[in-house]
Amino acid sequence: MSTIISLVCFALFIGLFGSQLFLLWRHPYLAPKNEKPSLKDWWQVQHHARLALTTDKQARRLNGLFVLSQTGLWLGITSLILSFYLVEDKLNLLLVPTAAVHWATIGLVVGLALMFVYPLIWPTQSYRYWADHQHQAKTFTVADGNGFQRYRRHQLWAMVGGDGLLATIWLTRVWATSTEPLVVIENLLLVLITAMPIIALITALSQLPYLQHYHYLTAKPGKVNFGQLNYRATLALVKQQPTLKAKILTAHISRLIAYVLGIFAIGMLYFDIVAPTFTADPTAVFPAAIIALVALCILETVGAIWPPKVYDYFHLLDTTKEPFTVNDPDRFDQFRYHLYHYHLSAAIVWLFIWVAIIGAYYYYI
C-alpha cells in the first residue's frame, strides 16, 4: 500500500514539476526576440538581464535582494543535503539518535521553505525593474502584467511540485531505511506545526519594508515624515470632504476597538491565570480566546475593506497645498498585494498563539 501511495505521489509531483517548467520556458516574462528561441537563448536572456540589473548603481537595493534570494536558495539546498545525509547515515541505526531525528526533520522543513525565497522575491523585483526600463531591453521583450502573473503562478507551482517530489523521496527513504519510521514521521509533523507560525511571522515582518516602499501616499521632500503621512492625509480628507467624516471615524474606531479587545484578551490571561497566587482561574482561557478571535475578525475585515475605499477617497483631494501626493493605481495594487500577505501572515501567527494557549490548558489542567 505504501509503495502505491509513493508511486502516485511521484507521478503527481513529477508531472506538476515538469509541466510547469515547460510552461515557464514557453511563456517567460523576459522573452528573447528570436522567432524560435532555444533553451540556451532563454537562459542567456535571463543571465544578461540579471547582470544588467544588479550592476545598475541606481538599483543597489535590487542587488541586495538578489543576494538575499540566492542566499536563501543555497541555504535551502544545504539544509536538504544535510537532512538526506542524516536519513541515509543515522536513521538506519538500531538505536536511532533522537538528535539526528530532530535535525533531519528540521533540515527538511527549513530547506523546503527556503526554496521558496527565490521565486517569491526575485522575479517580481526583476519584472518591475524591466517594466520601468523597457527602453534598455534590446535583446528581449518584457511581458505585460497578465503575462508576468501567469509566469509567477507557473513558477510557484513548479516549486510546489519540486518540494513535493523531494518530500516524497525523503519520506520514502525514511520508510525504507529507518528502524523507527513512525517516530521520524511523528517528529516531522511536530516540526511542521511549529514551523508554520515561525514562517508566518517572518513573512509578516518581511512585508513591512514593502508596505513602506509601495505606500499609496508619497511625502513631498521636507514636508512631512512617513510616520505622520496617514495622519496628515486623513486630516486633509476630513477638511476637504466633510461628508466622509462618518466613514473615516467608523474605520478608525473599529480598528481601535479591535486593538482594545486584543489587549483585553491578553489581560484576562494575565490577571486570571498568571498573576493570582492562590485563586487562578484557568477557564478564563476560553472567553479570552473568543475575544481574541473577535478582535482578529474586526481587524481583518477593516484591513480588507478600508484601504481600497480610502485610496479612492484620496483621489478626491486637491494635494497642491498638501505635504503629500497620491500614487498611481499600479503602485497601490503592489501595496495591496503586500498588505494582503501581511494580514494573512499576522492572522496565522495570532491564531497559532491562541491555539497553543488552549492546547496548554488541556495539557496541564
Side-chain angles (χ1 to χ4, degrees):
M1 186 65 179
S2 60
T3 304
I4 296 175
I5 295 174
S6 298
L7 291 175
V8 170
C9 290
F10 271 119
L12 175 65
F13 289 123
I14 289 175
L16 178 62
F17 184 64
S19 63
Q20 297 306 307
L21 285 182
F22 176 77
L23 291 171
L24 285 175
W25 174 56
R26 296 297 297 169
H27 303 287
Y29 70 96
L30 301 178
K33 290 186 177 180
N34 303 354
E35 291 185 3
K36 295 182 178 180
S38 63
L39 188 60
K40 181 181 178 180
D41 295 329
W42 178 83
W43 178 260
Q44 287 179 341
V45 162
Q46 300 294 324
H47 180 67
H48 291 156
R50 194 264 302 167
L51 283 179
L53 193 160
T54 53
T55 54
D56 187 350
K57 294 182 180 180
Q58 297 181 350
R60 292 181 179 178
R61 182 183 67 88
L62 296 181
N63 186 37
L65 288 175
F66 176 74
V67 173
L68 175 64
S69 63
Q70 287 292 301
T71 302
L73 177 63
W74 286 105
L75 284 176
I77 293 173
T78 303
S79 297
L80 289 172
I81 292 174
L82 174 62
S83 178
F84 275 94
Y85 165 76
L86 291 173
V87 169
E88 299 295 337
D89 190 64
K90 301 295 184 182
L91 301 191
N92 58 353
L93 300 176
L94 185 60
L95 295 175
V96 179
T98 305
V101 174
H102 291 331
W103 284 113
T105 52
I106 291 173
L108 177 69
V109 174
V110 170
L112 295 180
L114 287 175
M115 295 294 284
F116 275 92
V117 171
Y118 179 84
L120 286 174
I121 292 179
W122 182 245
T124 303
Q125 302 301 322
S126 175
Y127 173 74
R128 288 172 181 169
Y129 174 88
W130 287 113
D132 295 334
H133 298 79
Q134 294 193 37
H135 60 282
Q136 299 179 11
K138 298 178 181 179
T139 60
F140 55 87
T141 58
V142 183
D144 58 15
N146 292 332
F148 173 72
Q149 292 300 327
R150 178 177 58 189
Y151 174 89
R152 193 168 187 273
R153 186 166 56 249
H154 291 320
Q155 189 177 45
L156 290 175
W157 277 113
M159 192 55 64
V160 170
D163 274 12
L165 182 60
L166 289 171
T168 302
I169 295 172
W170 191 91
L171 289 170
T172 303
R173 293 303 302 158
V174 165
W175 196 263
T177 62
S178 177
T179 54
E180 296 287 349
L182 293 179
V183 173
V184 179
I185 294 173
E186 179 184 350
N187 194 272
L188 175 62
L189 293 175
L190 291 174
V191 172
L192 281 172
I193 294 172
T194 306
M196 288 180 66
I198 296 174
I199 293 173
L201 178 61
I202 295 172
T203 303
L205 294 176
S206 67
Q207 302 306 310
L208 296 178
Y210 292 103
L211 291 175
Q212 180 177 357
H213 182 72
Y214 294 114
H215 198 271
Y216 47 85
L217 299 175
T218 299
K220 294 179 180 178
K223 297 290 185 179
V224 64
N225 58 46
F226 182 79
Q228 297 177 332
L229 196 57
N230 275 319
Y231 173 72
R232 296 291 296 273
T234 303
L235 287 181
L237 189 61
V238 172
K239 182 179 179 180
Q240 295 187 31
Q241 302 290 331
T243 57
L244 299 175
K245 185 176 181 180
K247 294 182 179 179
I248 295 171
L249 286 175
T250 300
H252 285 78
I253 292 174
S254 298
R255 276 204 191 105
L256 180 61
I257 290 173
Y259 293 140
V260 171
L261 288 176
I263 295 171
F264 182 73
I266 296 173
M268 285 184 67
L269 294 180
Y270 178 78
F271 291 110
D272 290 338
I273 300 176
V274 180
T277 306
F278 302 105
T279 58
D281 181 15
T283 59
V285 165
F286 299 104
I290 293 172
I291 294 172
L293 181 61
V294 172
L296 176 64
C297 291
I298 294 174
L299 279 177
E300 292 299 313
T301 302
V302 174
I305 296 175
W306 182 243
K309 286 185 175 295
V310 76
Y311 176 72
D312 292 336
Y313 297 154
F314 283 144
H315 275 290
L316 302 175
L317 294 177
D318 178 11
T319 58
T320 306
K321 298 181 180 180
E322 300 297 338
F324 60 86
T325 56
V326 183
N327 294 321
D328 57 78
D330 289 339
R331 193 178 181 91
F332 175 72
D333 289 339
Q334 294 168 3
F335 173 84
R336 195 178 180 189
Y337 169 82
H338 291 291
L339 183 66
Y340 168 78
H341 286 89
Y342 171 78
H343 277 288
L344 178 63
S345 303
I348 291 173
V349 173
W350 186 249
L351 288 174
F352 262 90
I353 289 173
W354 286 96
V355 168
I357 291 171
I358 294 174
Y361 167 81
Y362 279 108
Y363 182 81
Y364 289 109
I365 301 303

